[in-house]
Amino acid sequence: MNAIDPAIHIAAANIRLDGVTKSYGAMTVIPKLDVEFRAGEFTVVLGPSGCGKSTLMQMIAGLERISGGKIVIGDREVQDLEPRERGCAMVFQNYALYPHMTVFDNIAYSLKIAGLSKAERRVRVDIVAKMLGLADHLDRKPGQLSGGQRQRVAIGRAIVREPAVLLFDEPLSNLDAQLRHDTRIELAELHRRIGATTVFVTHDQVEAMTLADRILILNKGEIEQYDTPKAIYHKPASMFVAKFIGSPPMNILPIKSDGSVLRLSDGQPVAKCHLKGEFQLGVRPEDILVDTTGDASAIKAHVRYREDLGSHSILVADLSGTMVRITTPFGSQAPESNVLLLSCPQTKLHLFDTVTGKAIAGAFTATTKDQK
Ligand SMILES: Nc1ncnc2c1ncn2[C@@H]1O[C@H](COP(=O)(O)OP(=O)(O)OP(=O)(O)O)[C@@H](O)[C@H]1O
Ligand SMILES: [Mg+2]
């Protein structure tokens, strides 16, 4: 039992999709999905528009039928069950509250349908309202609330039923930046307190990085990577993931290796590499160091322009014919000429296959400089 909220008892359940497929007529949206969302975890689903994120959520909730495979929640196969029998609650971007009902009645509605007495409804709604900071607004209609308060009513309506699974489909995208930030913190706190298995769709990578125990990156209905935020950021499994997470995104440059040295198109050596061939090199803007020591091994680039963002600056430079972004401390000395000397620890370099875009592990030969 939760010590703070004695009447909210969530028994988190894991969600397993076994070979789930989804087509609309001749169009396949999900070719075949095998994934497990672990009990009590907060999973963020990220991916470009149209990749199947909402479809995935609706299939779990039971609002869309699956074309093939199985969905298991806890120990029950649910693909043939009605939405209300699945133990899921869903919060949408357009949270569609009943405009003629008070906040209390909006939150209590599902409890009324479930046959709870007036007294029981009062207790449950009071607890949820207190938790979400809505206790003083229970008699208002949705039209008398701010966007953020309305979103909290929608969340309250979802959690009051004590679902084992909470599904959010871009719930914060209608809110302004400040409110988004505040609601994000509230959601993290809420998850910590109630612990329901949560699947959360967003386009916002800050939300993904800060809220998720695990991030699922989808591309055309298939998994690109499913891992912790840290692994997604530092060990992207593909160029797709590397470019999708990070702001500014990872720099990608064409590169060649003769089996011992990796060289840029203009011949400048970058690292030792025992593979031979043409690849794509990835390096994050914050992992490129501007060298002021005049090290002879530094890589030369030409600054094109500079963006001062207050907390830091971003240099845009031509590196062997590719425009790269480099994050530097705000107000750092601009070079007298436009020539920049750069270095990057080998451990921060990523090598990708040019054709498949997949990351290539263990390609670099360690140097004494990196072992220090
Ligand atoms: N009812 C439907 N009938 C036919 N096609 C559909 C239907 N619903 C979704 N689709 C198609 O399925 C694909 C996936 O849609 P989905 O809504 O899951 O994408 P999404 O990842 O949620 O995108 P967004 O980020 O824009 O919300 C899209 O190509 C969409 O056009
Ligand atoms: Mg969607």
Side-chain angles (χ1 to χ4, degrees):
M1 193 196 282
N2 189 317
I4 311 168
D5 312 301
I8 299 288
H9 309 259
I10 292 210
N14 63 330
I15 310 167
R16 213 176 71 230
L17 279 76
D18 282 344
V20 167
T21 63
K22 177 70 185 174
S23 306
Y24 290 106
M27 187 180 72
T28 300
V29 177
I30 311 271
K32 185 169 178 293
L33 197 57
D34 291 290
V35 66
E36 179 165 354
F37 302 107
R38 298 178 203 180
E41 278 197 356
F42 198 119
T43 303
V44 169
V45 181
L46 271 182
S49 184
C51 73
K53 303 180 296 294
S54 295
T55 305
L56 168 65
M57 305 291 275
Q58 287 170 357
M59 292 191 307
I60 297 171
L63 304 172
E64 273 294 346
R65 295 199 70 79
I66 58 176
S67 308
K70 275 197 306 199
I71 301 180
V72 182
I73 298 181
D75 51 12
R76 291 190 310 156
E77 259 186 50
V78 301
Q79 68 275 5
D80 297 323
L81 299 184
E82 291 296 317
R84 63 185 153 75
E85 299 170 316
R86 297 190 182 196
C88 301
M90 190 148 165
V91 181
F92 299 92
Q93 176 181 358
N94 300 314
Y95 20 88
L97 302 175
Y98 300 111
H100 58 286
M101 288 190 197
T102 62
V103 168
F104 181 94
D105 288 337
N106 264 286
I107 297 178
Y109 188 70
S110 65
L111 303 179
K112 195 171 173 185
I113 301 287
L116 266 69
S117 72
K118 207 167 175 184
E120 287 170 310
R121 297 197 305 258
R122 181 93 242 169
V123 170
R124 295 269 283 272
V125 172
D126 279 347
I127 287 162
V128 167
K130 214 165 132 207
M131 210 160 132
L132 295 169
L134 292 168
D136 295 336
H137 306 313
L138 286 173
D139 297 328
R140 292 201 200 171
K141 301 267 174 68
Q144 299 167 304
L145 299 175
S146 72
Q149 289 165 336
R150 269 183 245 166
Q151 187 55 275
R152 277 185 262 156
V153 177
I155 294 169
R157 192 173 57 175
I159 63 173
V160 79
R161 290 166 44 205
E162 302 179 342
V165 170
L166 267 173
L167 305 169
F168 291 94
D169 195 353
E170 303 197 44
L172 310 185
S173 41
N174 281 349
L175 309 181
D176 67 39
Q178 180 62 42
L179 206 50
R180 242 185 128 118
H181 179 256
D182 295 347
T183 314
R184 190 171 84 217
I185 290 172
E186 279 170 18
L187 274 177
E189 173 62 14
L190 188 70
H191 180 253
R192 201 181 60 75
R193 287 166 74 178
I194 69 173
T197 310
T198 304
V199 188
F200 185 101
V201 173
T202 181
H203 277 279
D204 183 327
Q205 42 173 301
V206 177
E207 273 166 32
M209 292 300 292
T210 56
L211 286 171
D213 292 311
R214 236 168 268 275
I215 298 176
L216 174 68
I217 301 212
L218 277 187
N219 182 14
K220 297 184 184 137
E222 295 190 277
I223 299 176
E224 279 284 332
Q225 193 166 0
Y226 181 36
D227 217 324
T228 58
K230 195 172 161 190
I232 296 266
Y233 194 84
H234 295 289
K235 290 190 169 43
S238 64
M239 231 166 3
F240 180 90
V241 174
K243 286 196 276 192
F244 206 81
I245 286 277
S247 177
M250 185 182 280
N251 297 297
I252 305 277
L253 302 109
I255 196 125
K256 258 188 200 168
S257 171
D258 58 5
S260 75
V261 180
L262 209 52
R263 291 178 191 278
L264 295 166
S265 316
D266 63 6
Q268 293 196 77
V270 171
K272 293 201 165 149
C273 171
H274 56 81
L275 300 178
K276 198 171 172 179
E278 294 186 11
F279 306 96
Q280 300 292 317
L281 181 77
V283 56
R284 294 213 178 271
E286 66 273 26
D287 291 334
I288 303 179
L289 308 173
V290 178
D291 199 317
T292 49
T293 60
D295 187 339
S297 68
I299 301 162
K300 285 195 187 64
H302 298 270
V303 182
R304 289 290 178 254
Y305 60 92
R306 167 195 188 103
E307 293 175 319
D308 284 325
L309 299 175
S311 58
H312 61 280
S313 300
I314 294 170
L315 302 178
V316 182
D318 179 340
L319 176 55
S320 180
T322 303
M323 284 299 165
V324 295
R325 288 187 168 78
I326 303 156
T327 308
T328 59
F330 180 72
S332 57
Q333 198 67 42
E336 303 218 334
S337 67
N338 73 345
V339 177
L340 268 184
L341 296 178
L342 306 175
S343 68
C344 179
Q346 222 169 69
T347 50
K348 302 287 188 184
L349 297 176
H350 304 262
L351 204 63
F352 300 102
D353 187 291
T354 299
V355 179
T356 65
K358 299 288 174 211
I360 302 169
F364 300 110
T365 317
T367 63
T368 44
K369 208 169 164 184
D370 279 307
Q371 284 164 345
K372 263 187 227 166

